[in-house]
Amino acid sequence: MPELVFFSGTMDCGKSTLALQIEHNRSARGLQGVIFTRDDRAGEGKLSSRLGLVTDAVEAAEGFDLYGHLVDRLSQGGRCDYVIADEAQFFAPEQIDQLARVVDDLELDVFAFGITTDFRSKLFPGSQRLVELADRIEVLQVEALCWCGARATHNARTVGGLMVVEGALVVIGDVNADGVAGEVGYEVLCRRHHRRRMTAASARAAALSPDVLPVDSGPTSPRSTGVEQRGAVAGHH
């Protein structure tokens, strides 16, 4: 039976690479598919991975009817054996409904790839609808890592290397911005450091900061020194 499968994960976990691999495997067996995407880093009408691979796709812009596009293609003698939808988090919920209809009415497999949550740790509307409708949800097993080495579970938007939690839902940025002043970027973080808004750049800055604990070089008794140090540490935390 045809399925709507949602492949989810954070940035840098290989979603687009897997989409391109699925396309390659099926086309190598003589099958023909249609690739939809939206707001890909390589530009309009492109599906690309960070490994440098890229192929043409149909841009699923706002208001674009995915189901209608496929029906027109098939009614004009075109062929479609499967559908790939990359950057599916940016699709409107009604477009996700159209993908479900492609599975049910046209009996085609649909492979959707996307990030589950945005930079605020909120579900993308398109991803939420996929979670509600998908026959199967696959969490990609290639783990992206936080700067601390822990498994990355959250996507962060940065400006000049500092995490921000306000702004437009969709802003194209580079995951390799690396703290360039004023530049919008993205970074994957573990939950702990996402909650603390601590990016790689801010962690480096903190590591280079001078010790803020006061040092009293004057003569003091051992008892008073211990009290002062404990008080300073408590205040620091």
Side-chain angles (χ1 to χ4, degrees):
M1 295 292 292
E3 289 184 308
L4 172 57
V5 185
F6 179 31
F7 295 91
S8 68
T10 62
M11 296 178 295
D12 280 345
C13 72
K15 297 182 300 301
S16 296
T17 301
L18 179 57
L20 287 163
Q21 185 67 53
I22 289 176
E23 162 65 13
H24 170 76
N25 289 351
R26 280 161 174 71
S27 62
R29 295 295 178 265
L31 301 177
Q32 294 182 23
V34 172
I35 302 174
F36 295 114
T37 190
R38 183 168 180 178
D39 295 330
D40 188 273
R41 68 185 70 85
E44 183 175 333
K46 298 293 182 182
L47 165 57
S48 68
S49 79
R50 290 190 172 87
L51 297 182
L53 305 173
V54 62
T55 191
D56 292 330
V58 178
E59 186 75 12
E62 180 116 14
F64 183 84
D65 187 344
L66 284 71
Y67 180 82
H69 176 85
L70 292 172
V71 168
D72 288 344
R73 177 188 176 101
L74 294 171
S75 63
Q76 294 174 19
R79 181 178 170 185
C80 181
D81 299 307
Y82 60 92
V83 174
I84 291 174
D86 195 37
E87 306 291 357
Q89 72 273 6
F90 297 143
F91 289 24
E94 55 267 25
Q95 290 176 317
I96 304 301
D97 288 335
Q98 293 161 11
L99 291 177
R101 190 179 178 191
V102 167
V103 175
D104 297 338
D105 295 356
L106 303 183
E107 299 186 348
L108 300 176
D109 282 316
V110 175
F111 306 102
F113 300 81
I115 299 169
T116 308
T117 57
D118 62 20
F119 68 101
R120 305 163 302 175
S121 296
K122 305 292 185 182
L123 284 169
F124 279 100
S127 299
Q128 178 178 335
R129 194 64 179 140
L130 274 166
V131 170
E132 294 166 348
L133 293 180
D135 297 295
R136 185 158 47 94
I137 299 174
E138 299 283 351
V139 178
L140 269 65
Q141 297 304 308
V142 178
E143 293 186 352
L145 298 178
C146 178
W147 59 265
C148 69
R151 177 172 176 264
T153 55
H154 289 64
N155 306 295
R157 179 183 294 170
T158 62
V159 176
L162 301 179
M163 181 174 158
V164 296
V165 293
E166 295 181 351
L169 182 60
V170 180
V171 176
I172 305 301
D174 188 357
V175 292
N176 299 312
D178 198 30
V180 177
E183 185 172 346
V184 175
Y186 289 91
E187 184 176 343
V188 288
L189 300 172
C190 64
R191 185 183 63 224
R192 172 180 297 180
H193 289 125
H194 191 276
R195 289 179 58 246
R196 295 178 178 177
R197 303 186 187 181
M198 183 171 285
T199 63
S202 59
R204 285 196 299 267
L208 295 173
S209 297
D211 190 351
V212 298
L213 293 178
V215 177
D216 185 357
S217 58
T220 55
S221 68
R223 180 182 297 275
S224 63
T225 300
V227 171
E228 288 173 2
Q229 288 179 342
R230 285 196 297 272
V233 171
H236 177 64
H237 287 292

